Amino acid sequence: MRKKLLLGNWKMNKTPEEAASFARAASEMVDFAVSHNVDVGVAPTYVCLDAVKKAINPKCIVAAQNCSEHDHGAFTGEISIPMLRAIGIDWCIVGHSERRAYNGETSEACNAKIKALLAAGMTPVYCCGESLEAFEKGETKKFVAEQIRAGLKDLTPDEARKVIVAYEPIWAIGTGKSASTEIAEDTIGFVRRTLRELFGTAAVDMRILYGGSVKPDNVSAYIGAPDIDGALVGGASLDPVSFKGLIEGMLR
Ligand code: 13P
């Protein structure tokens, strides 16, 4: 039985003080979610990770938004997995569409990061999702299958089981235009079939999230779909009241 998961991606928002204030406000709602068998987490910016980790309910997952595949060296501006581990971070988002678009991240680069995270005992959250152009051409499945095959290349079924996959159609991110539940369900069902081809029955245990304009009032529709195990939420995860609404929506 796959446990539901709500993960807030804060993107480039909040100072350490603002992030710690959210963390303190979220303590009870984290208990509430966990007691209802829902995992919850937030992904602050690097500079907020330590403040959030120290202030938040320890049952809350705290994830980084990115990492380097290298442990150390001449990689200006990068943050390594051992550095994240040193402050108690054991989850990390990989291959968000904004990083693919603005930082030229490829699925092959994501594959190296995912392997490095798994080797360090961390949980990667691997993002995939098609552009508006691919969506309009009816090429969503081709696009997403390529991202899955390249990003998760050469993983064993046991490794794959530890990866969370997030399907986020780019045209639905931050636009207020969420994918219909039919589209999300259809694509995520396809993602699971692709994972099954690659990893056999391990695919049944893998959690797949939907992301893209998820709000407190639409989250329950996604969660109701058999293959959708949770949500990766941007804008609506920034405010504690809205975050609580998302948790409540997950349970509806
Ligand atoms: P929004 O929820 O703001 O559309 O962002 C989705 C997202 O990119 C989460 O990673």
Side-chain angles (χ1 to χ4, degrees):
M1 184 67 183
R2 299 184 300 265
K3 208 169 168 190
K4 301 280 185 229
L5 168 64
L6 171 69
L7 188 60
N9 173 11
W10 287 354
K11 308 190 178 184
M12 198 175 71
N13 291 291
K14 296 188 190 295
T15 62
E17 203 178 303
E18 289 163 351
S21 156
F22 177 107
R24 287 188 293 273
S27 186
E28 264 179 45
M29 57 184 106
V30 171
D31 277 335
F32 175 76
V34 172
S35 70
H36 286 81
N37 216 24
V38 174
D39 283 337
V40 277
V42 290
T45 59
Y46 287 135
V47 292
C48 293
L49 284 171
D50 196 41
V52 170
K53 189 76 192 164
K54 283 179 177 146
I56 209 155
N57 185 328
K59 290 177 204 149
C60 187
I61 294 157
V62 182
Q65 297 175 11
N66 179 40
C67 66
S68 167
E69 73 266 36
H70 304 288
D71 277 359
H72 54 81
F75 302 100
T76 303
E78 295 293 320
I79 301 281
S80 75
I81 292 168
M83 291 168 191
L84 296 173
R85 299 279 321 181
I87 57 165
I89 303 302
D90 47 17
W91 281 54
C92 185
I93 296 174
V94 177
H96 190 280
S97 61
E98 286 148 17
R99 292 209 55 82
R100 293 180 191 256
Y102 308 135
N103 301 82
E105 219 163 273
T106 61
S107 297
E108 289 69 27
C110 293
N111 183 244
K113 293 182 187 199
I114 290 169
K115 285 178 180 158
L117 286 162
L118 290 169
M122 289 181 56
T123 302
V125 180
Y126 178 52
C127 301
C128 60
E130 80 286 9
S131 59
L132 181 61
E133 196 190 346
F135 174 70
E136 285 175 344
K137 281 196 200 149
E139 291 178 352
T140 296
K141 289 177 179 163
K142 181 172 167 268
F143 197 99
V144 169
E146 274 167 16
Q147 289 179 323
I148 297 281
R149 286 178 191 281
L152 304 182
K153 192 166 187 272
D154 296 334
L155 263 54
T156 65
D158 276 345
E159 287 171 333
R161 226 180 237 120
K162 295 175 188 143
V163 177
I164 314 275
V165 175
Y167 167 62
E168 301 199 306
I170 298 169
W171 48 270
I173 295 177
T175 57
K177 252 198 270 170
S178 53
S180 66
T181 41
E182 291 74 27
I183 291 177
E185 201 174 341
D186 182 49
T187 312
I188 288 181
F190 169 78
V191 168
R192 196 173 303 281
R193 291 196 295 283
T194 305
L195 294 171
R196 201 174 168 109
E197 275 170 35
L198 295 171
F199 306 114
T201 53
V204 178
D205 300 330
M206 292 176 72
R207 289 192 278 184
I208 310 177
L209 313 180
Y210 168 74
S213 297
V214 175
K215 309 280 177 228
D217 61 4
N218 66 10
V219 67
S220 68
Y222 295 110
I223 297 305
D227 274 311
I228 305 181
D229 303 310
L232 181 57
V233 186
S237 74
L238 289 168
D239 170 63
V241 175
S242 169
F243 196 73
K244 185 163 180 249
L246 288 164
I247 294 173
E248 287 165 354
M250 299 267 299
L251 298 170
R252 225 172 278 138

